[in-house]
Amino acid sequence: MEFSRAASDPARAAFVRPPAPPPQERPLSAFATLRLLRRNPIETWTRAHFEQPILIGRTILGPIAVVSDPAAIRRVLVDNAANYRKDALQKRLLGESLCDGLLEVEGEAWRAQRRALAPLFTPRAVAAFAGVMAEAAAALVARWRRLPEGRRFDVQPEIAGATLDILGRTLFSDGLGRDASAFTRPLTDFFRSVGTFDPFDLLDLPDWAPRLGRRRSGKALVFFEEAVDALIARRRRLVARNPAGAPRDLLGLLLLARDPETGQGLTPAEVRANIATFIGAGHETTANAVIWSLYLLSLAPDWRRRLAAEADAALSGPADSCAARLVETRAVIEEAMRLYPPVASMSREAVEFDTLAGRRVRRGTLVVVSQWVLHRHRLLWDEPDLFDPRRFLPGAREKIDRFAYLPLGAGPRVCVGGAFALQEAAILLAHIVRDFALETPRGHAPKPVQRVTLRPDGGLPMILRRR
Ligand code: HEM
């Protein structure tokens, strides 16, 4: 793990270089790759990946192209997107509960769902959730205020709890209908198992071959599906009784959603899968953006003070426009997502052969865009390993190539909840820094580990200090 305050560029001498596993000096053996993929996929990247625009090779996964050239990424995700479908490995990782949801469906079914769901996440719809997000953030801060000064605690489950709380409030504004902790525990168990690389997945064994983690999560999945079905049934009864009084939360919008071209609504299975998708895709990702921001701020007290001053001013105005006032807060979150991208890689399978960055890519090749690599690429960033939120302040932000920075993906399959996530992260972070100056315990350097999302291994201990 590399961690130091030193910087080669004197202008950035005061900036921190937060921990990151050093790249491998040369490619690993098949066995070592398999072992590391299960333990921590970001540790498999070699120095060449961070220095070359494209690397094509053969691995135990078959032919693989790791693409970090922005123009080539644009070709994969936008210009020739029809040639790149979501690959089987990714689908196996996410599991069957999400298979009817927007993240996993393909072709016409995806187009119809995307058209139907886009109105849930327009800037106006997202701004309308700002008040609820602020309430959840205030509840978190109020709980922390009751803790003694100097208390060491793990912020990871605290923030993950807050983002789950926000999803609960924005999905089901009339409550979960049962003890929330009875709901969230099996949910957390289930999502913990989703996204762990299983050797059977990597070896491409058929779907009926048992997966250890998957079996453990089976009970939690049944509970989750039953609980969501009960919430949907309760809402349908409410709407039947009093259509005008139905809450305008995400569930209400999902039930009303229609494909504008065909007038078709979602099937019950699609509604359920999209609830699971929003929770699965939107809960830990957003939490990790906030968690890494808090960690980085603890290393850069000057930025923490700037954000606290910004929060003092911005949070006093109307809630629905406060995210627009949190300019420096957003720059810190964006820099945190550059250094620690919550989604650390995306992959596609080439349907037909193509040429990327001047190299021939064969049909069937697994094309990987790794945000972990891309966001620290030597050809694309100045001092890539340093924490410098100025990169994302207005004036500098516009100069970043659209395809060099992809925390939310790009093209037709760009994250549908991106604006929701950025607003939520900004509101949570602003509420926290307005009241607290969290510190990292002396000598502690969190290790980033990729499990679908990129999180600090074993949580993130911090010390509570009131501002
Ligand atoms: C900081 C938080 C988030 C990050 C970093 C993130 C990242 C991403 C990325 C990289 C993709 C594209 C994947 C690909 O092309 O293979 C994606 C897609 C998606 N995200 Fe997010 N996401 C976040 C929050 C959310 C939230 C809050 C929601 C919903 C409430 C959400 C729902 C989705 C869905 C449904 C898709 C699939 C879109 C499609 O295929 O049409 N995400 N996300």
Side-chain angles (χ1 to χ4, degrees), residues 190-253:
F190 167 62
F191 281 112
R192 195 172 295 143
S193 74
V194 172
T196 305
F197 282 88
D198 191 300
F200 282 15
D201 286 335
L202 296 171
L203 296 172
D204 214 22
L205 290 190
D207 284 332
W208 47 260
R211 267 72 167 174
L212 295 174
R214 245 23 74 79
R215 205 180 321 142
R216 269 200 302 276
S217 70
K219 252 171 61 188
L221 173 62
V222 170
F223 178 94
F224 172 71
E225 294 195 337
E226 282 175 5
V228 170
D229 282 348
L231 288 167
I232 295 173
R234 187 183 69 176
R235 180 63 61 84
R236 285 197 199 277
R237 283 195 299 276
L238 180 78
V239 174
R241 269 201 316 273
N242 175 16
R248 296 211 37 97
D249 52 13
L250 284 174
L251 175 61
L253 296 172

Side-chain angles (χ1 to χ4, degrees), residues 86 90 102-103 110 114 121 277-278 281-282 285-286 337 342-343 346 348 371 407-409 413-417 420-421:
K86 294 222 165 178
Q90 196 178 136
L102 186 64
L103 190 63
W110 168 76
R114 182 90 194 193
F121 296 102
T277 299
F278 294 167
T285 45
T286 315
M337 291 201 298
V343 174
M346 304 185 292
R348 299 287 191 271
Q371 286 92 337
L408 302 164
R413 301 211 68 149
V414 67
C415 178
V416 79
F420 182 101

Side-chain angles (χ1 to χ4, degrees), residues 443-466:
H444 181 81
K447 174 183 169 182
V449 60
Q450 183 184 359
R451 294 251 182 291
V452 175
T453 61
L454 190 79
R455 28 176 117 145
D457 197 15
L460 183 64
M462 296 200 91
I463 295 170
L464 192 88
R465 298 260 179 246
R466 285 178 179 72

Side-chain angles (χ1 to χ4, degrees), residues 420-439:
F420 182 101
L422 285 173
Q423 173 178 293
E424 176 182 2
I427 290 176
L428 271 173
L429 191 59
H431 276 82
I432 295 170
V433 298
R434 184 173 59 167
D435 274 41
F436 301 102
L438 299 182
E439 288 172 5

Side-chain angles (χ1 to χ4, degrees), residues 259-299:
D259 175 353
E261 285 184 16
T262 63
Q264 279 281 309
L266 302 181
T267 65
E270 287 172 340
V271 171
R272 190 170 69 188
N274 276 302
I275 289 173
T277 299
F278 294 167
I279 298 173
H283 150 227
E284 269 205 16
T285 45
T286 315
N288 284 321
V290 176
I291 290 164
W292 287 114
S293 299
L294 286 170
Y295 170 65
L296 291 164
L297 286 177
S298 76
L299 304 180

Side-chain angles (χ1 to χ4, degrees), residues 42-316:
I42 58 166
E43 290 183 37
T44 58
W45 301 116
T46 64
R47 189 168 295 283
H49 287 111
F50 293 88
E51 292 171 356
Q52 305 287 330
I54 186 165
L55 279 178
I56 298 182
R58 274 204 76 80
T59 68
I60 42 169
L61 304 175
I64 179 166
V66 180
V67 187
S68 299
D69 172 57
I73 294 175
R74 185 193 158 100
R75 182 161 175 83
V76 173
L77 297 180
V78 184
D79 299 337
N80 197 19
N83 189 48
Y84 294 95
R85 62 173 172 229
K86 294 222 165 178
D87 56 280
L89 175 64
Q90 196 178 136
K91 289 186 177 170
R92 283 200 181 137
L93 276 176
L94 293 173
E96 60 193 80
S97 58
L98 309 189
C99 71
D100 289 324
L102 186 64
L103 190 63
E104 285 200 43
V105 286
E106 296 260 24
E108 194 37 52
W110 168 76
R111 264 185 290 281
Q113 274 202 34
R114 182 90 194 193
R115 285 193 298 260
L117 296 183
L120 273 67
F121 296 102
T122 59
R124 212 163 133 216
V126 169
F129 290 127
V132 174
M133 291 172 177
E135 276 167 35
L140 176 81
V141 165
R143 212 177 50 248
W144 288 8
R145 276 208 204 104
R146 292 195 289 274
L147 297 176
E149 175 78 3
R151 159 73 68 88
R152 181 181 163 132
F153 71 130
D154 185 357
V155 297
Q156 201 276 337
E158 291 286 323
I159 305 294
T163 58
L164 200 55
D165 182 24
I166 287 174
L167 273 168
R169 290 174 192 236
T170 47
L171 271 164
F172 312 109
S173 58
D174 47 352
L176 294 171
R178 60 174 87 195
D179 173 19
S181 65
F183 187 86
T184 51
R185 213 167 301 123
L187 187 88
T188 312
D189 278 358
F190 167 62
F191 281 112
R192 195 172 295 143
S193 74
V194 172
T196 305
F197 282 88
D198 191 300
F200 282 15
D201 286 335
L202 296 171
L203 296 172
D204 214 22
L205 290 190
D207 284 332
W208 47 260
R211 267 72 167 174
L212 295 174
R214 245 23 74 79
R215 205 180 321 142
R216 269 200 302 276
S217 70
K219 252 171 61 188
L221 173 62
V222 170
F223 178 94
F224 172 71
E225 294 195 337
E226 282 175 5
V228 170
D229 282 348
L231 288 167
I232 295 173
R234 187 183 69 176
R235 180 63 61 84
R236 285 197 199 277
R237 283 195 299 276
L238 180 78
V239 174
R241 269 201 316 273
N242 175 16
R248 296 211 37 97
D249 52 13
L250 284 174
L251 175 61
L253 296 172
L254 265 174
L255 293 174
L256 290 175
R258 295 283 174 274
D259 175 353
E261 285 184 16
T262 63
Q264 279 281 309
L266 302 181
T267 65
E270 287 172 340
V271 171
R272 190 170 69 188
N274 276 302
I275 289 173
T277 299
F278 294 167
I279 298 173
H283 150 227
E284 269 205 16
T285 45
T286 315
N288 284 321
V290 176
I291 290 164
W292 287 114
S293 299
L294 286 170
Y295 170 65
L296 291 164
L297 286 177
S298 76
L299 304 180
D302 46 339
W303 276 98
R304 191 175 59 203
R305 277 189 290 273
R306 282 169 77 159
L307 262 55
E310 184 175 76
D312 283 338
L315 295 181
S316 54

